[in-house]
Amino acid sequence: RSTKRTLRIRHSGPLKERIALYVLLELGLVRDYAEKRTLINPVMPGVPQGKVLMFTDIFPFMESPPDPMNIEPPLPVAMELRLIVYDVLDVETIEEIPPEKPDSDTLHDLLIRGQFAGDPEAQVSEIHPRAVNGEGAFNWRFLFNFGYAYLDRKRCIPGEIEDQMLDPILTISVVDGDPSCAPEPYAFLHLNMTFLPRGMTREDWTYMEMIPGYVEPPPPPPPTEPVEEDEEEEEEPSRPPKITYLNLFKKKKSQGWWPMYKKIDGFLYKTGKIKMEIEVMTKPQAEKRPAGYVEVPPTRIQRSMSRFECPPRCRRSMRK
């Protein structure tokens, strides 16, 4: 009995094909496997003229075949991505300025530039004037409209012949308000919405290890002159939480601090921090909650200390 069973399993097909067939049957997408055949033309032998994808089903004569199935791929879903940039910290500009004596001639104006994969142009926020040592509060909202293919986990850009599929990557950069002063951005941040690192709740927890595929650069050479060490003991920083990743199209919203970086000699170096709120929703949901490309007020918890604003029944329950 064991020999017959081994022979039956051995001749049922390769392992990967059996697993793929099992997954397709469990999901209920197709009843059998898919075949791809090459189209040929006897006028041009040996030159493929295209390929055809077929779903093959075999039924016995004694049973009536089931109803035909619709195997058209699902259409892309119209989505809207909302990005709110609150603050940036420690952005490495051309030169540091002491906050005690800032000079208006040497202060830099910063602005945020956001671009989604496939968009021809980037969106720009308002200029934050006179940013001292790379600190600025923007409170600016960006809106990105696109079509998303859930099966491919990619942005779909319709074309005349073939649709273009791109990874849903959001690029955020901090640039100088005067392009002649610094033509290149000071800091970048690339985020894949399907593999998004969860934002940290504190700014000092923004480590470069949050970036997928980050490789630590080599340490700098030791100083030639001895450096005097301070006798004061530095406080040990609190341990950050574990770095986790999420799919924004399932989680729908994420908020916190992320590190910003710049590529130098093939390695990524941390050049700033940014606090943001990222939210994705469908087009009908966005129409119920309209928003524009405007400055948003900072999120603060509003607490009322006036006892007359509470009804008498509520005050009585609070005293109990």
Side-chain angles (χ1 to χ4, degrees):
R1 183 178 302 175
S2 60
T3 306
K4 293 182 179 179
R5 184 178 180 182
T6 306
L7 290 175
R8 183 173 60 84
I9 296 176
R10 184 186 303 172
H11 295 286
S12 59
L15 179 59
K16 292 184 178 180
E17 293 185 3
R18 297 203 308 269
I19 295 176
L21 177 58
Y22 173 77
V23 172
L24 291 175
L25 295 176
E26 289 294 324
L27 294 178
L29 298 178
V30 294
R31 299 184 182 273
D32 209 331
Y33 61 93
E35 289 190 4
K36 183 182 290 185
R37 300 294 179 87
T38 304
L39 299 177
I40 59 176
N41 191 346
V43 179
M44 302 176 65
V47 179
Q49 304 297 319
K51 294 183 179 181
V52 58
L53 185 65
M54 300 182 298
F55 293 89
T56 306
D57 286 333
I58 300 177
F59 306 100
F61 287 102
M62 303 300 295
E63 299 179 4
S64 59
D67 297 334
M69 300 179 60
N70 185 11
I71 59 174
E72 293 182 0
L75 298 176
V77 181
M79 308 289 290
E80 181 174 295
L81 178 66
R82 298 183 179 182
L83 168 67
I84 301 178
V85 177
Y86 292 110
D87 306 306
V88 294
L89 292 178
D90 303 335
V91 176
E92 296 183 3
T93 55
I94 296 178
E95 57 182 347
E96 293 188 357
I97 304 166
E100 295 82 7
K101 297 180 180 180
D103 188 2
S104 60
D105 296 334
T106 57
L107 288 176
H108 301 283
D109 300 337
L110 299 181
L111 58 89
I112 303 295
R113 183 179 296 169
Q115 187 172 10
F116 198 67
D119 291 347
E121 297 181 358
Q123 302 180 21
V124 181
S125 68
E126 288 186 347
I127 295 178
H128 186 283
R130 305 184 63 191
V132 180
N133 295 336
E135 298 182 5
F138 290 89
N139 301 318
W140 190 265
R141 180 189 290 116
F142 298 89
L143 299 180
F144 304 95
N145 298 310
F146 61 97
Y148 182 70
Y150 274 91
L151 291 181
D152 299 327
R153 292 188 176 184
K154 295 181 181 295
R155 178 187 181 176
C156 179
I157 301 178
E160 297 180 358
I161 301 177
E162 186 179 1
D163 296 342
Q164 185 180 5
M165 295 291 182
L166 300 175
D167 292 330
I169 297 178
L170 176 64
T171 303
I172 305 150
S173 57
V174 180
V175 300
D176 198 296
D178 187 5
S180 61
C181 181
E184 296 184 359
Y186 293 128
F188 287 93
L189 180 59
H190 302 276
L191 296 175
N192 192 333
M193 300 295 103
T194 59
F195 195 69
L196 176 70
R198 192 184 300 270
M200 295 296 178
T201 56
R202 292 173 50 174
E203 61 181 52
D204 54 347
W205 286 348
T206 54
Y207 295 100
M208 288 298 296
E209 285 74 10
M210 297 173 58
I211 307 302
Y214 168 72
V215 178
E216 186 176 359
T224 56
E225 299 179 358
V227 180
E228 298 180 358
E229 298 182 355
D230 298 334
E231 297 181 356
E232 299 181 358
E233 296 182 357
E234 297 182 357
E235 298 182 358
E236 185 179 356
S238 58
R239 183 175 300 178
K242 182 180 178 181
I243 299 174
T244 57
Y245 300 89
L246 55 91
N247 187 351
L248 190 65
F249 295 97
K250 294 182 179 179
K251 189 64 177 178
K252 300 299 183 184
K253 189 176 182 180
S254 182
Q255 183 178 358
W257 289 89
W258 282 270
M260 304 194 75
Y261 48 85
K262 193 173 183 179
K263 193 171 185 180
I264 302 174
D265 297 334
F267 293 95
L268 300 181
Y269 292 88
K270 184 178 178 181
T271 56
K273 310 169 187 176
I274 187 169
K275 183 180 180 182
M276 303 182 300
E277 177 182 333
I278 309 174
E279 186 178 7
V280 67
M281 61 188 70
T282 60
K283 204 64 178 178
Q285 294 174 349
E287 293 176 355
K288 294 180 181 180
R289 298 167 49 195
Y293 304 85
V294 294
E295 185 177 0
V296 296
T299 56
R300 297 190 180 95
I301 302 177
Q302 298 180 358
R303 297 176 181 176
S304 177
M305 302 301 294
S306 177
R307 70 176 200 175
F308 298 103
E309 294 182 1
C310 302
R313 186 178 301 175
C314 179
R315 294 201 301 269
R316 194 182 305 115
S317 61
M318 292 171 62
R319 284 198 298 268
K320 290 182 180 180

